[in-house]
Amino acid sequence: PFRCHCSPLQLSRASCEAEQERLQRQLRFRFWSWIVSLWCFLGFQIMTVFLVWYTDDKRRYNVISFVLEVCAGLCMLANHWAIWYYCTERRWGGHL
């Protein structure tokens, strides 16, 4: 019941080859930004559990955990940017 039957992300709905290539570029960017974010977040979660059990030299692992969390967040921001950049509502005025 919650499925969009006329999604703008369907390649078959592209009106020309340029639009189809633009759509493929969007989907590819969104897919890879999501995958990198997922793996960084999973790494962050594993490091968090590891830090609970590991008591020696936590500073190094705290830094690694922080970097993984920041990387996951930046990739999600990149994903949101791609959604905004490629949305059709952004071009309604015809000046973009």
Side-chain angles (χ1 to χ4, degrees), residues 2 8 18 20 22 25-27 30 39-40 43 49 57 92:
F2 298 108
Q20 188 174 14
R22 185 173 190 262
R25 186 173 50 235
Q26 172 195 6
L27 293 174
R30 287 178 57 192
W39 283 106
C40 287
V49 170
D57 193 23
W92 274 1

Side-chain angles (χ1 to χ4, degrees), residues 42-72:
L42 288 175
F44 162 71
Q45 292 293 317
I46 291 168
M47 290 299 294
T48 302
V49 170
F50 181 70
L51 284 169
V52 170
W53 293 332
Y54 189 69
T55 57
D56 299 336
D57 193 23
K58 281 189 172 184
R59 182 180 172 94
R60 176 185 305 148
Y61 297 106
N62 278 333
V63 170
I64 294 170
S65 176
F66 175 75
V67 168
L68 287 171
E69 183 180 14
V70 168
C71 179

Side-chain angles (χ1 to χ4, degrees), residues 69-82:
E69 183 180 14
V70 168
C71 179
L74 289 175
C75 287
M76 271 292 105
L77 284 175
N79 196 334
H80 284 83
W81 174 84

